[in-house]
Amino acid sequence: MAADQRPLNEVAFLTVAEVASVMRVSKMTVYRLVHSGHLPAIRVGRSFRVPEQAVHEYLRESYVGVEAG
């Protein structure tokens, strides 16, 4: 098992609404990210669950820093 992976019983999953709240975006934006493959998710019935760590990684990778000039 890779160092960045945890057993599934230790993974915290968030609903689309919770992800939207954390990211301060609409639920539709979260659905677009999931459907485009930018944000990994699992399907539970008719809804999606996103690993909390995936949200943090997405935000970290998407961060646009301002260079001092």
Side-chain angles (χ1 to χ4, degrees):
M1 182 176 299
D4 62 338
Q5 292 181 340
R6 295 184 291 177
L8 284 179
N9 63 342
E10 295 179 10
V11 176
F13 289 98
L14 302 175
T15 65
V16 168
E18 290 170 331
V19 174
S21 177
V22 167
M23 294 177 68
R24 304 292 196 267
V25 297
S26 70
K27 291 192 295 185
M28 185 54 64
T29 298
V30 177
Y31 282 117
R32 286 185 188 120
L33 290 170
V34 168
H35 287 291
S36 69
H38 288 98
L39 195 59
I42 61 168
R43 192 167 193 122
V44 179
R46 295 181 61 187
S47 61
F48 290 97
R49 296 293 184 270
V50 180
E52 184 176 25
Q53 189 63 33
V55 175
H56 296 296
E57 288 173 15
Y58 175 81
L59 292 173
R60 187 173 24 259
E61 292 170 3
S62 300
Y63 184 80
V64 178
V66 178
E67 293 184 27

